Amino acid sequence: MNCSDIVADLAQDAGVNQLTRAARDHLAGCVGCRELLAVVGVPGSKTAASSPENLYAIECRLVSDLRPVRRIAAGSHLLVGFSGVFLLAAGVGVYRLGAHALAVMSPLQAVTILCALAFGSALLARSLVNQMSPGSLHRVSPGSALLAIPLALAIVVAVLFPLHHENHFWMRIGICLKLGTPVGILAALPLWFLLRTGAVLSPKLTGLTAGMFAGLAATAALQIHCPNIEAAHIVLSHLGFAVLASALGFLLGSIAEQFETNGRTA
């Protein structure tokens, strides 16, 4: 005997005196079913259940925890917002750091890597819009995008850029990661405000996606600024920044999800 069986008995106009022993045992341990029995009337009757007083009591129970929600912006508007965040952060980064890499990259290298970064950021922006709107269909699953984008960019770098030994290799990586941090923060702040306008159901996944999106803005700025076009340096520092930002986004999303869970159970 479970809650569904109790509801079925009440729908058949079975009064409390007509309930089976199993139903009575269930009622003894189920607060929800006892409250339901109290609302529809004891002994149960269709007249009692449909009386104005009981209908009003049921209505009050249904709407007691309802709250108004914000209207989610149109997907096209959100895409424009995400594009603006990416261009603003990358543009400010290039303005502050300089565009020294353009002088040492070939036209093929520059166009290909920048177009690949733009395509990856657009794919992540679309994924974020879908994650903000429950029920949206993903042409590419968010998890697949998060794996495919850095992998594809790493392949592009390996094909286009030379690989050779460098002195002070790790020190130069640290310098680029440090230069990219302000750009990533500049992208993350307005990104957070945009995400708050939606209905995010999985903060961890959205944190991963948003972190990589902000990180790619910094990657674009570093790729235009940094004159070191050695392949391993680009992968570990420029693309590595996006991966680290994604991990940080996952951490922040986990914290937000934990706070949300604690708030619901409090």
Side-chain angles (χ1 to χ4, degrees):
M1 179 64 68
N2 54 36
C3 297
S4 298
D5 297 328
I6 296 293
V7 173
D9 286 346
L10 293 176
Q12 296 172 5
D13 200 19
V16 68
N17 294 325
Q18 302 176 31
L19 294 176
T20 64
R21 181 178 181 82
R24 291 172 181 274
D25 291 341
H26 176 80
L27 286 170
C30 182
V31 177
C33 285
R34 290 202 302 272
E35 292 180 348
L36 176 62
L37 202 63
V39 169
V40 300
V42 180
S45 70
K46 293 179 180 178
T47 302
S50 60
S51 68
E53 294 79 9
N54 285 331
L55 291 176
Y56 179 73
I58 294 173
E59 180 184 355
C60 290
R61 286 176 180 271
L62 291 174
V63 303
S64 61
D65 59 347
L66 296 182
R67 299 290 183 273
V69 297
R70 293 189 303 268
R71 184 176 181 179
I72 299 176
S76 57
H77 295 171
L78 291 173
L79 280 176
V80 171
F82 287 129
S83 301
V85 169
F86 184 90
L87 294 174
L88 173 66
V92 171
V94 172
Y95 176 78
R96 297 284 297 177
L97 300 174
H100 308 302
L102 295 180
V104 294
M105 285 192 294
S106 69
L108 175 63
Q109 290 172 331
V111 170
T112 304
I113 189 62
L114 293 179
C115 286
L117 287 170
F119 180 79
S121 66
L123 190 61
L124 290 175
R126 168 54 67 180
S127 179
L128 285 172
V129 170
N130 290 336
Q131 291 178 50
M132 293 168 64
S133 304
S136 298
L137 296 178
H138 294 268
R139 292 186 179 180
V140 180
S141 69
S144 299
L146 289 169
L147 290 175
I149 289 172
L151 180 60
L153 288 172
I155 293 174
V156 169
V157 170
V159 171
L160 290 178
F161 294 91
L163 179 65
H164 54 77
H165 174 73
E166 283 189 325
N167 295 324
H168 311 295
F169 178 74
W170 293 106
M171 183 182 71
R172 293 182 179 182
I173 289 177
I175 292 173
C176 275
L177 292 176
K178 183 178 179 180
L179 291 175
T181 299
V183 183
I185 294 174
L186 180 61
L189 292 178
L191 193 61
W192 180 74
F193 284 104
L194 277 175
L195 292 173
R196 282 176 55 85
T197 65
V200 174
L201 300 183
S202 177
K204 291 180 181 179
L205 180 60
T206 304
L208 269 170
T209 310
M212 183 167 289
F213 182 83
L216 282 183
T219 298
L222 290 172
Q223 190 60 42
I224 296 173
H225 158 73
C226 180
N228 186 348
I229 59 172
E230 195 270 332
H233 174 81
I234 295 174
V235 170
L236 293 178
S237 60
H238 303 180
L239 298 181
F241 187 92
V243 175
L244 291 176
S246 185
L248 180 59
F250 176 79
L251 177 61
L252 294 176
S254 300
I255 294 173
E257 189 170 296
Q258 188 62 42
F259 274 110
E260 184 179 341
T261 302
N262 293 339
R264 285 198 301 262
T265 57

